[in-house]
Amino acid sequence: MRIIMRTLIISGGKISDYEYIKERILQFGAEMIICADSGYNHAVRMNLPADLIAGDFDSIGEVPDNVKTACYPSEKNQTDTEIALNHAREAGAQDILIIGATGTRADHMLTNIFMLKNCLARGEKAEIIDENNKIRITDSQLEISGAKGGLISIVPLSDCAGVTTRGLKYPLENARLKLGEGRGVSNVMTGAEASVSVEKGMLLVIEARD
């Protein structure tokens, strides 16, 4: 059986700029597209073919006949996005892009972001993007490709030690960052490449655009 490596997950959160998001999707080069419930509506608006729609189907509207579905009860212990992620894993996904995972529901947004921690623990490459952010998690080293002047925020998810940055205006060298402190917010890229590393703890790394 062929292993699907690059998988796009489309969740049902807010997407305002479909042109920008679709451009990023095309750059990603997904081999499989899984929609979490009403994430399928986003796929339709971007004219993207869904390989699977998974969830409890409480917000999608009419379910198409020509797309494979995995229907779950509305009373369940997982979110639709988590269910879609599990289906991606069953297909062998190792590189995962998640869109539609942010928006007005802080509970869903935070849960989706923290799912990246689970991906990291499993050795999966995963990120969340929206019109303004690219969100990743690292417990070792993370390479950043962008542009001079790009905003980079480093948010500790625990008390972190040995935090070092390269290619950022406000450098950190073997620093300690404590959970709840804003020291790592709004750093600036000095060129097209940068990196962040941590020896102990876990960092949320956000590439932001206003």
Side-chain angles (χ1 to χ4, degrees):
M1 183 179 69
R2 178 171 174 267
I3 300 299
I4 303 296
M5 299 299 290
R6 286 178 174 262
T7 300
L8 171 68
I9 294 175
I10 307 178
S11 192
K14 183 179 179 181
I15 297 178
S16 300
D17 189 343
Y18 284 110
E19 184 176 349
Y20 173 80
I21 294 298
K22 186 172 182 179
E23 181 180 345
R24 295 296 302 273
I25 291 170
L26 294 177
Q27 290 173 356
F28 175 68
E31 298 173 76
M32 184 176 190
I33 299 176
I34 300 177
C35 298
D37 204 329
S38 61
Y40 179 72
N41 298 329
H42 292 316
V44 170
R45 293 186 182 103
M46 290 184 283
N47 196 28
L48 294 173
D51 295 288
L52 174 69
I53 306 171
D56 57 19
F57 296 87
D58 66 342
S59 56
I60 187 176
E62 185 176 353
V63 178
D65 295 328
N66 61 337
V67 180
K68 183 179 177 181
T69 60
C71 188
Y72 291 76
S74 57
E75 294 183 359
K76 58 189 186 306
N77 295 324
Q78 297 175 310
T79 66
D80 290 332
T81 304
E82 190 175 5
I83 288 170
L85 179 59
N86 287 335
H87 279 280
R89 287 169 173 156
E90 289 175 5
Q94 288 294 312
D95 194 350
I96 302 164
L97 175 64
I98 306 173
I99 67 169
T102 60
T104 58
R105 286 285 299 269
D107 50 354
H108 280 283
M109 179 173 65
L110 289 172
T111 298
N112 291 337
I113 290 172
F114 291 138
M115 279 197 302
L116 298 178
K117 178 178 179 291
N118 183 260
C119 293
L120 180 68
R122 295 172 61 99
E124 299 159 349
K125 180 182 177 183
E127 63 187 50
I128 291 172
I129 65 165
D130 60 23
E131 292 87 341
N132 300 103
N133 305 281
K134 177 179 179 179
I135 305 169
R136 293 182 286 174
I137 289 178
T138 185
D139 60 1
S140 55
Q141 181 166 323
L142 192 63
E143 301 297 326
I144 301 169
S145 297
K148 183 177 180 180
L151 292 177
I152 305 296
S153 287
I154 303 166
V155 181
L157 296 180
S158 60
D159 290 349
C160 295
V163 180
T164 299
T165 65
R166 297 285 183 264
L168 297 180
K169 182 178 180 179
Y170 309 106
L172 296 172
E173 187 72 41
N174 198 30
R176 290 183 176 272
L177 296 181
K178 292 185 178 181
L179 177 65
E181 290 183 343
R183 182 181 176 188
V185 172
S186 293
N187 214 323
V188 181
M189 293 186 68
T190 58
E193 303 292 334
S195 66
V196 176
S197 62
V198 58
E199 293 180 2
K200 182 180 179 181
M202 192 169 294
L203 299 171
L204 188 68
V205 180
I206 302 174
E207 301 170 48
R209 60 189 287 266
D210 289 331

